[in-house]
Amino acid sequence: MKNHTLELFPPAAPDTRHEPLEPGAWLLRGFALAVQMPLLAAIDRIAAIAPFRHLETPGGFRMSVGMTNCGTLGWVSDRTGYRYDPCDPLSGRPWAAMPRVFLDLARSAADVAGFADFEPDACLVNRYEPGSRLTLHQDRNERGYSDPIVSVSLGLPAVFLFGGDSRSDKQRRIPLQHGDVVVWGGPARMRYHGVLPLKEGHHEATGSQRLNLTFRRAG
Ligand code: MD6
Ligand code: FE
């Protein structure tokens, strides 16, 4: 007798819709799933060269998100301010080169969102543990704002806050899952945004963490 189980209960398919958030901003659900394993392997290599660390803010607070970088420029923070640095201040050595799989993913996501020829030179790698959060901010340390930002989520889900051009503007809450990619640029480039405190959980790809890759043209 023929088994109809598959027809009656199709396996849950990953959600891969492309959702416009607002002019210049897209949520590409599941866009990074196909390369999740090489992405995670590359993050391990990057962190072996420049370990995750909790940077100090100019105001003297320790960031709850662990950070490292790859590419020709890396985003860092200390008591003197925020900046992009070609070298890891901990070692004095250059960051790991941007892996091919990172470049290809960032470029194709930017393309889908309508930003052709994106050539990121900086990739900030963020590691969230339960309770880690990113307060509302604008990304404004880059040399120019004509290029988009491409942000890749891996592991535990998080709630992304997406606001307006003023800190006090109302924010929408966007749940981000493993493999989701957010692209924003153009009229959305200077939106305030942040990440709510990560909830406890377990993800088969990352354990108790969320990893985020944020690609930029910084120099
Ligand atoms: C994060 N992302 O999702 C932190 N910034 O972990 C960011 O701060 C960010 O996702 C600019 C554009 C996209 C982002
Ligand atoms: Fe940001």
Side-chain angles (χ1 to χ4, degrees):
M1 185 181 148
K2 190 162 183 279
N3 185 336
H4 288 281
T5 307
L6 286 179
E7 286 82 350
L8 287 171
F9 302 105
D15 188 349
T16 54
R17 284 173 303 158
H18 298 176
E19 182 183 325
L21 295 172
E22 65 170 89
W26 287 81
L27 169 55
L28 310 178
R29 287 208 178 92
F31 196 83
L33 282 177
V35 289
Q36 58 177 298
M37 298 315 287
L39 292 180
L40 291 166
I43 291 170
D44 283 344
R45 291 195 296 271
I46 291 162
I49 292 170
F52 286 102
R53 81 289 308 263
H54 295 271
L55 296 167
E56 192 178 10
T57 67
F61 294 99
R62 173 189 188 266
M63 297 186 74
S64 62
V65 178
M67 297 182 175
T68 185
N69 291 277
C70 67
T72 54
L73 290 171
W75 187 87
V76 293
S77 171
D78 61 22
R79 291 304 290 254
T80 70
Y82 306 121
R83 68 178 184 280
Y84 283 94
D85 199 314
C87 291
D88 177 355
L90 285 185
S91 67
R93 295 170 53 83
W95 307 100
M98 183 104 60
R100 184 86 248 165
V101 63
F102 279 29
L103 270 178
D104 289 347
L105 175 66
R107 270 190 153 243
S108 61
D111 260 328
V112 165
F115 300 99
D117 303 319
F118 179 46
E119 285 191 40
D121 55 9
C123 175
L124 173 65
V125 186
N126 291 147
R127 183 184 68 190
Y128 293 73
E129 290 170 314
S132 298
R133 61 194 286 255
L134 207 56
T135 54
L136 219 52
H137 67 277
Q138 289 171 304
D139 288 13
R140 54 188 316 158
N141 303 119
E142 299 72 31
R143 185 192 292 273
Y145 305 130
S146 57
D147 286 290
I149 295 166
V150 172
S151 169
V152 178
S153 293
L154 295 167
L156 287 178
V159 176
F160 195 62
L161 296 176
F162 191 54
D165 287 331
S166 305
R167 187 181 290 278
S168 57
D169 288 345
K170 187 170 155 34
Q171 301 123 35
R172 75 192 262 203
R173 292 174 173 227
I174 300 166
L176 295 180
Q177 312 278 343
H178 179 65
D180 288 353
V181 176
V182 181
V183 182
W184 70 59
R189 177 62 180 74
M190 299 313 286
R191 295 288 182 272
Y192 275 88
H193 58 277
V195 179
L196 289 183
L198 194 78
K199 290 210 174 118
E200 301 259 3
H202 177 85
H203 193 283
E204 62 180 3
T206 62
S208 58
Q209 302 172 353
R210 170 180 184 254
L211 295 166
N212 169 262
L213 305 174
T214 306
F215 294 93
R216 306 186 179 87
R217 180 86 201 170

